[in-house]
Amino acid sequence: MLPCTQTLADLDWKPAGIILSGGPASVYAEGSPHADPAFFDLGVPMLGICYGLQEIAFRSSADNVVASTSREYGHAKLKAKRLGSHGSGHVDRLFEGLEDEFKVWMSHGDKLVRLPDGFQAIACTSNSEFAAVAHTSKPIYGLQLHPEVSHTENGNQILQNFAVRICGARPNWTMANFVDQEILRMQKLVGDGQVLGAVSGGVDSTVAAKLMQRAIGDRFHAVLVDTGLMRLKECEQVQETISRHLGINLTVADASRPFLDGLKGVTDPEQKRRFIGSKFIDIFEEEAKKIEIAAHSEMTGPVEWFLQGTLYPDVIESISFKGPSATIKTHHNLALPQRMIEGQGLRLIEPLRELFKDEVRDLGRQLGLPHELVMRHPFPGPGIAIRILGDITPERVEMVRQADDVFITMIREWDLYNRISQAYAALDTSRAVGVMGDQRAYENIIILRAVETTDFMTARAFPFDHEFLAQVSTRIVNEVKVGILIFGY
């Protein structure tokens, strides 16, 4: 993966093919990113996805791409066009082996209104006449859809057709090879030093911790920070999993008071995330000093490294990692203090940084983690702080904690947990009027959300049975004492 600012002249190898990715900008807008023109003259197969398709079309004529009057977000039905003998032999290869119609995931406000010179349409949707295009004589293709997300049917096959059948790449990457390579990389990076790692009990941090322990053994020290914003009995469960079941050195730091005090009066979710990210590092650096003193010996070096379970979706949502992706939300584990950015204090190590959630789960299985842990629903590092819309108080934290526990408990009771990718309760600090026990009630609003996804890049609402919704509503209203529930979709 390379940034869009990469030039061909600075590349010391020739790619077998090129994929131009999607992005949030409009190709016709001033200051929008554009690939080095030299890549288009390289003579290798090229595939443009979403913005990448529009980049290809825009190079031919600025009039080819416009803002659509009807945006296209979510599922759409794609109809492939088989050109056969009427087109060049390579044109149909992108959709080779696929049915003529299937569901795809769209996410665009701009669209092609004219074909670029030398291209022909190979698929359409009800909103996009040129949902997929191919050059008549060159192996250059464009897709308005997103084949890389799990909600596109046949998406992996489309990418395999391009990479393997069209570009001739060899599919020899395996997760087992990744484990061996990453362990060697971390061993060389750390040397005889020690590593401090943030764990939360979630699959990302636990997989990163197990990988580091496999690499350097007891020189890895996991730290769980009790922020006071954890789910019900979360700290006890994490201790049981990390320390007793996985055999990883674990320290629990109770920092609930400084976190809750520092969040008083903070309502903006971005400010919450940034404060929590910075405070996390403060706590970890304090713990590093204690661990270094306790674990000091002539055989081990100082605690110099800080391990995080950052994934690629975290990076995409937070910062422009390898190109101008839009900041969706700042992840606490990417809101680093300036001293770390400038190379002072602990140095960051992120072995999962370019993996997606489904790949991390596969990695967890490779490392021998139990199924229950590998499939655990994600829980954000900032915890309940970002599940309260507004000011944070201990009473509101407890309200969300109890509602979330009821929700997840009932999901398990109905045997739905492994069918749902993430579910949680949140609190809207607005209040609504209702009637309870023949009296006027003016109570808080609990929001329940549950989604299906594989890669955690796109998601859709889980289709709960109405009886489940009725029962979970009754329990939360009775046990948590809130007035209204909203089911988020």
Side-chain angles (χ1 to χ4, degrees):
M1 289 184 285
L2 298 170
C4 62
T5 52
Q6 175 71 46
T7 62
L8 180 61
D10 291 334
L11 203 63
D12 58 4
W13 50 274
K14 182 179 179 179
I18 296 170
I19 295 179
L20 303 177
S21 76
S26 294
V27 290
Y28 50 77
E30 184 178 355
S32 58
H34 296 287
D36 180 3
F39 282 112
F40 294 88
D41 300 324
L42 194 56
V44 300
M46 177 176 288
L47 173 63
I49 296 175
C50 195
Y51 184 93
L53 160 67
Q54 295 165 12
E55 170 80 344
I56 292 171
F58 185 77
R59 280 177 49 80
S60 176
S61 170
D63 297 327
N64 288 343
V65 183
V66 301
S68 176
T69 55
S70 299
R71 301 183 303 172
E72 197 171 25
Y73 291 94
H75 272 133
K77 181 178 286 187
L78 187 82
K79 295 183 179 181
K81 301 178 181 179
R82 308 295 178 182
L83 300 178
S85 59
H86 297 290
S88 301
H90 73 277
V91 172
D92 291 336
R93 294 178 69 191
L94 195 63
F95 293 146
E96 187 175 340
L98 307 183
E99 55 267 34
D100 290 338
E101 293 187 11
F102 52 93
K103 286 197 298 185
V104 298
W105 192 263
M106 291 289 197
S107 182
H108 65 100
D110 295 335
K111 64 184 292 187
L112 264 67
V113 290
R114 294 193 319 184
L115 282 169
D117 294 340
F119 282 79
Q120 54 195 126
I122 59 173
C124 65
T125 69
S126 60
N127 187 51
S128 297
E129 182 183 357
F130 309 120
V133 303
H135 197 278
T136 55
S137 60
K138 302 175 183 178
I140 302 176
Y141 306 84
L143 297 172
Q144 188 61 72
L145 60 115
H146 285 271
E148 76 279 12
V149 303
S150 58
H151 287 101
T152 289
E153 295 177 353
N154 302 315
N156 287 339
Q157 185 62 50
I158 293 172
L159 293 174
Q160 183 176 339
N161 282 347
F162 177 73
V164 179
R165 295 183 178 181
I166 295 173
C167 297
R170 291 177 295 173
N172 53 11
W173 187 94
T174 67
M175 188 56 73
N177 289 340
F178 174 83
V179 171
D180 295 337
Q181 293 169 3
E182 195 59 27
I183 285 175
L184 286 174
R185 186 186 76 87
M186 292 192 297
Q187 288 172 339
K188 291 180 180 179
L189 197 63
V190 174
D192 63 356
Q194 300 182 72
V195 178
L196 194 71
V199 295
S200 64
V203 62
D204 305 337
S205 63
T206 304
V207 168
K210 190 62 182 178
L211 188 63
M212 183 58 75
Q213 185 207 37
R214 181 81 60 90
I216 66 171
D218 288 342
R219 289 185 288 122
F220 171 65
H221 309 272
V223 175
L224 169 67
V225 177
D226 183 357
T227 61
L229 301 163
M230 312 291 278
R231 289 178 289 199
L232 191 65
K233 299 181 180 178
E234 185 86 11
C235 289
E236 295 90 336
Q237 292 175 2
V238 173
Q239 283 183 277
E240 183 74 20
T241 300
I242 300 293
S243 185
R244 295 187 181 93
H245 290 176
L246 300 182
I248 296 173
N249 295 328
L250 178 66
T251 298
V252 179
D254 184 359
S256 54
R257 182 48 52 199
F259 273 95
L260 290 173
D261 287 347
L263 287 167
K264 284 181 180 177
V266 180
T267 59
D268 180 76
E270 278 296 291
Q271 291 182 26
K272 290 178 183 178
R273 290 176 180 275
R274 292 187 180 280
F275 168 78
I276 290 169
S278 180
K279 181 58 68 175
F280 260 120
I281 301 300
D282 292 341
I283 302 298
F284 286 129
E285 289 186 336
E286 291 175 11
E287 292 302 319
K289 295 175 184 176
K290 298 175 186 177
I291 289 172
E292 188 172 312
I293 293 172
H296 177 72
S297 74
E298 294 181 358
M299 302 298 294
T300 59
V303 178
E304 296 179 318
W305 295 92
F306 178 55
L307 175 75
Q308 286 192 151
T310 309
L311 306 191
Y312 192 51
D314 302 335
V315 176
I316 292 173
E317 290 179 341
S318 296
I319 56 174
S320 296
F321 172 48
K322 292 188 172 181
S325 54
T327 298
I328 299 169
K329 58 185 178 183
T330 300
H331 283 256
H332 78 287
N333 52 2
L334 287 157
L336 300 176
Q338 193 63 32
R339 62 181 180 277
M340 288 190 72
I341 296 173
E342 294 173 351
Q344 302 170 19
L346 296 173
R347 290 183 285 174
L348 197 60
I349 182 169
E350 298 170 305
L352 315 180
R353 188 178 176 94
E354 293 188 2
L355 298 182
F356 289 89
K357 179 72 73 175
D358 53 327
E359 294 173 317
V360 172
R361 285 180 166 149
D362 188 19
L363 175 56
R365 296 183 189 100
Q366 292 281 339
L367 295 171
L369 298 185
H371 176 78
E372 295 76 16
L373 179 55
V374 170
M375 296 307 296
R376 193 163 189 244
H377 289 189
F379 183 63
I384 291 173
I386 55 170
R387 293 182 176 174
I388 296 175
L389 307 181
D391 195 13
I392 297 169
T393 67
E395 294 77 21
R396 287 173 174 173
V397 170
E398 188 60 26
M399 190 180 298
V400 176
R401 186 177 284 143
Q402 294 295 333
D404 186 82
D405 185 62
V406 171
F407 189 32
I408 299 301
T409 297
M410 285 197 61
I411 284 174
R412 291 187 183 278
E413 290 173 354
W414 282 59
D415 198 26
L416 300 174
Y417 190 83
N418 287 334
R419 293 173 55 194
I420 297 171
S421 304
Q422 185 178 33
Y424 62 86
L427 175 68
D428 185 341
T429 51
S430 304
R431 290 190 165 196
V433 175
V435 177
M436 297 179 69
D438 297 328
Q439 293 183 337
R440 177 184 183 273
Y442 185 51
E443 298 287 355
N444 289 282
I445 300 170
I446 287 288
I447 303 166
L448 301 181
R449 192 171 191 220
V451 297
E452 296 174 313
T453 181
T454 300
D455 50 24
F456 283 79
M457 290 295 292
T458 58
R460 61 183 177 186
F462 182 79
F464 281 115
D465 182 90
H466 283 286
E467 182 59 27
F468 173 88
L469 298 179
Q471 290 188 26
V472 76
S473 300
T474 299
R475 280 195 59 181
I476 292 177
V477 169
N478 287 337
E479 298 176 27
V480 187
K481 296 181 181 179
V482 295
I484 294 179
L485 278 82
I486 298 175
F487 298 96
Y489 291 95

